Amino acid sequence: MNAPSPTNALNLLWCDTACEVGLSASEEAWASSPVRCLAMAIEQRPRIIAVRFGNRSLRERAALVELCATIKRQRLTRASTVVALLGSRHRTLMESLQQAGVDYIRPVERLHPDSGGIRPILGGLGLEDRPQSLLAAMCPRLHYRPIDSRHELTVCGAYRDRMVLGGSRLRDLCHGANHRICEYFLDPRSAT
């Protein structure tokens, strides 16, 4: 039996738990919580669901990953394209999003909380934004150590998790294909 078609078809459902989003078109909607986002996704079956991760607590981040997984498992919502917008590159989070079935991941440091700020991002998504492409470029030995409920240290697994990574080394070496020339990647001090 076919499910009834949605009454108000959406083009974009924007899930942002941090702030209210200004929308400029009638075929766009904003959800302020994962539960509300899932309900709207089931009711209106948007073409694209954009989930903004930003600077969330580890617990809130896990809830957003679960939202993405649920959307991709649900019969009524699995056809929607799910885009995860991250505040920064995070290998473990990207792996979780890949397992959840997210279609695209885009790390964006600053994003204006309105539909005008996301349209260029959504229009520019390509193969390089697929989870497997992003993960293939990043060092597989990146690890994360929580320091409180919101923050983690990025550490080098090839250096027994004793070297904290940041700045240009993390950005230019560990987060890109250049990690293949890193002395610790080539000769790890411990198995990962």
Side-chain angles (χ1 to χ4, degrees):
M1 179 175 160
N2 289 337
S5 62
T7 55
N8 298 338
L10 284 178
N11 186 43
L12 170 64
L13 175 56
W14 172 267
C15 181
D16 191 339
T17 61
C19 62
E20 186 171 351
V21 176
L23 302 173
S24 57
S26 61
E27 69 274 358
E28 299 174 349
W30 166 65
S32 61
S33 73
V35 172
R36 182 73 183 129
C37 182
L38 182 60
M40 292 174 75
I42 290 170
E43 290 169 10
Q44 300 181 2
R45 293 187 230 148
R47 190 172 68 83
I48 300 171
I49 301 171
V51 181
R52 184 177 185 198
F53 282 76
N55 185 20
R56 305 286 168 270
S57 72
L58 302 180
R59 187 173 174 179
E60 290 169 321
R61 187 172 74 195
L64 291 174
V65 170
E66 183 58 32
L67 166 68
C68 294
T70 302
I71 289 169
K72 294 311 274 186
R73 281 193 311 257
Q74 278 287 329
R75 178 178 55 85
L76 297 174
T77 57
R78 73 174 58 122
S80 294
T81 299
V82 177
V83 180
L85 302 168
L86 309 184
S88 63
R89 293 177 187 267
H90 189 291
R91 183 171 183 88
T92 303
L93 176 55
M94 290 179 174
E95 289 170 343
S96 297
L97 290 167
Q98 181 182 33
Q99 290 171 352
V102 165
D103 299 291
Y104 297 98
I105 299 172
R106 175 63 74 93
V108 287
E109 287 184 30
R110 289 183 175 84
L111 180 64
H112 197 302
D114 64 18
S115 61
I118 193 172
R119 280 195 196 112
I121 292 171
L122 297 177
L125 293 172
L127 291 176
E128 68 277 3
D129 299 301
R130 295 284 191 177
Q132 58 272 25
S133 297
L134 288 166
L135 288 168
M138 293 177 74
C139 180
R141 296 189 173 105
L142 289 173
H143 294 163
Y144 302 88
R145 298 289 174 235
I147 54 177
D148 61 28
S149 66
R150 283 190 106 72
H151 302 95
E152 296 172 301
L153 289 175
T154 306
V155 295
C156 178
Y159 198 75
R160 299 184 186 136
D161 292 343
R162 294 180 183 165
M163 180 171 35
V164 176
L165 301 168
S168 61
R169 181 178 187 94
L170 179 63
R171 182 182 58 249
D172 300 336
L173 194 63
C174 307
H175 282 172
N178 285 337
H179 76 270
R180 294 181 185 99
I181 63 170
C182 172
E183 61 192 278
Y184 303 111
F185 177 80
L186 294 171
D187 186 21
R189 292 195 167 38
S190 70
T192 55

